[in-house]
Amino acid sequence: MSVFNNWDVVAKGWYIACPNRDLPVGKAKSLEICGQKIVLFRGSDGRVGAIDAYCPHMGTDLGIGRVDGNLIRCYFHHWAFDRQGNCQDIPCLDRANIPAKANVSAYATDEKYGFIWVYPDRNPPAGVAEFDELSGKEIVSIVDRKLQRNCHHHICMMNGIDAQHLQTVHKLDIEMELSLQQHGSGNIVDFTLKGEIPQTNLRGKIARKILGENYTYTMRYADGCIGMLTIMKNVRPIPPLHMIYAYVPLAGNRTEIQPIYIAAKRQGLLGWLKTRLLLLLTRLAYYALRDEDGQIYDNIRFKPNLLLGIDAPISKYMEYVNQLDRSDWSRYTKN
């Protein structure tokens, strides 16, 4: 069974859950991610736990319970669970007599870019992916409103590497050369596209005035559910601009997309102004392309019967997705 464009398979990866501010210390919140109902709770130590939302006793939603120290306690009969999904207390039983079946599945969490992320396994290979240029730096992130598309997120994610549509849809007559680097873990792949900007139309002429003769951008895919776009690479005096697309599949064969704009934090008033200007430029670049693409992905039934040489990035992307590991959140798993 292929992973690509398959609604029955959820690949292992970091899926966005909710903003950090929605889960203060001592609060719990149940929500659905990729068709899986989980409960998030932030203990007294400030750390977030994520476990299956339904109590194994009688199926009560743990999200209506209460946080007790670093445990989540069921509202109905007060069973208490830790962040590893282990039942630590049943009021009517001695702890030594708690049955193993009282435990529930637990999932790793990470907090980055202003959000809580959940991984459909206890032990992820790494945290949420980063941009190489921003690694180790303090960052500022701005969140835009979410949007939905009527197709699988794997299809939405191909947009950033579809060199042909830059010419046909966006009228950017750029002949792009592709280079691909797949990281050792296999869950991250970088597509770098570069080329010379021609002067065949007004957009091209304006672009050459602003960006110079050549243009380079990178699309990093992490876990098949996070797209990390870097534009304005090797362009002076503008530093690279960074944007994240976080994808979550929804019921009814729809995809939710969360855009996030990222920039390095700079010191002082001038640094603050420069950071905000870069975030604004990133947002404007996104808006310039979003609406032109939207009508395509809301009305697509993807069947790649004929891929051309220019579509090589898409073929490589499909190969990358199909080698991702399937999670237990999938409706069907392959041994």
Side-chain angles (χ1 to χ4, degrees), residues 211-237:
L211 307 177
E213 296 180 358
N214 299 296
Y215 183 69
T216 303
Y217 75 90
T218 300
M219 194 77 216
R220 168 167 290 181
Y221 292 111
D223 307 311
C225 59
I226 301 176
M228 309 178 73
L229 174 64
T230 302
I231 61 175
M232 304 297 181
K233 293 177 71 74
N234 305 319
V235 174
R236 296 182 178 180

Side-chain angles (χ1 to χ4, degrees), residues 83-259:
R83 280 186 285 254
Q84 288 70 47
N86 299 315
C87 185
Q88 296 289 358
D89 182 46
I90 297 177
C92 66
L93 284 180
D94 293 334
R95 184 170 180 178
N97 295 325
I98 295 176
K101 289 185 177 180
N103 299 332
V104 296
S105 295
Y107 310 104
T109 63
D110 196 4
E111 295 192 68
K112 192 170 288 187
Y113 310 124
F115 286 89
I116 297 170
W117 306 70
V118 177
Y119 192 91
D121 193 271
R122 289 173 182 259
N123 301 304
V128 176
E130 298 179 334
F131 294 95
D132 290 343
E133 299 92 336
L134 301 179
S135 180
K137 297 181 180 180
E138 190 175 359
I139 63 169
V140 178
S141 60
I142 290 182
V143 177
D144 210 330
R145 67 177 183 84
K146 294 183 285 189
L147 65 152
Q148 294 186 7
R149 294 292 187 228
N150 293 326
C151 62
H152 197 284
H153 64 280
H154 292 156
I155 307 304
C156 299
M157 294 178 76
M158 295 189 309
N159 185 61
I161 54 173
D162 185 351
Q164 191 173 181
H165 99 287
L166 293 175
Q167 302 173 15
T168 56
V169 176
H170 303 303
K171 313 304 179 188
L172 297 175
D173 189 17
I174 304 175
E175 293 186 6
M176 307 295 285
E177 297 177 3
L178 166 71
S179 63
L180 181 148
Q181 179 183 4
Q182 188 153 353
H183 295 214
S185 62
N187 67 315
I188 293 179
V189 62
D190 292 331
F191 289 86
T192 300
L193 294 98
K194 59 183 178 180
E196 182 177 343
I197 303 175
Q199 302 184 68
T200 54
N201 56 36
L202 181 60
R203 275 198 179 187
K205 293 177 181 178
I206 295 174
R208 286 177 74 102
K209 290 288 186 182
I210 299 173
L211 307 177
E213 296 180 358
N214 299 296
Y215 183 69
T216 303
Y217 75 90
T218 300
M219 194 77 216
R220 168 167 290 181
Y221 292 111
D223 307 311
C225 59
I226 301 176
M228 309 178 73
L229 174 64
T230 302
I231 61 175
M232 304 297 181
K233 293 177 71 74
N234 305 319
V235 174
R236 296 182 178 180
I238 303 174
L241 304 179
H242 305 284
M243 181 168 55
I244 293 175
Y245 303 90
Y247 298 86
V248 178
L250 303 175
N253 293 359
R254 292 178 62 80
T255 292
E256 185 173 82
I257 309 169
Q258 175 64 74

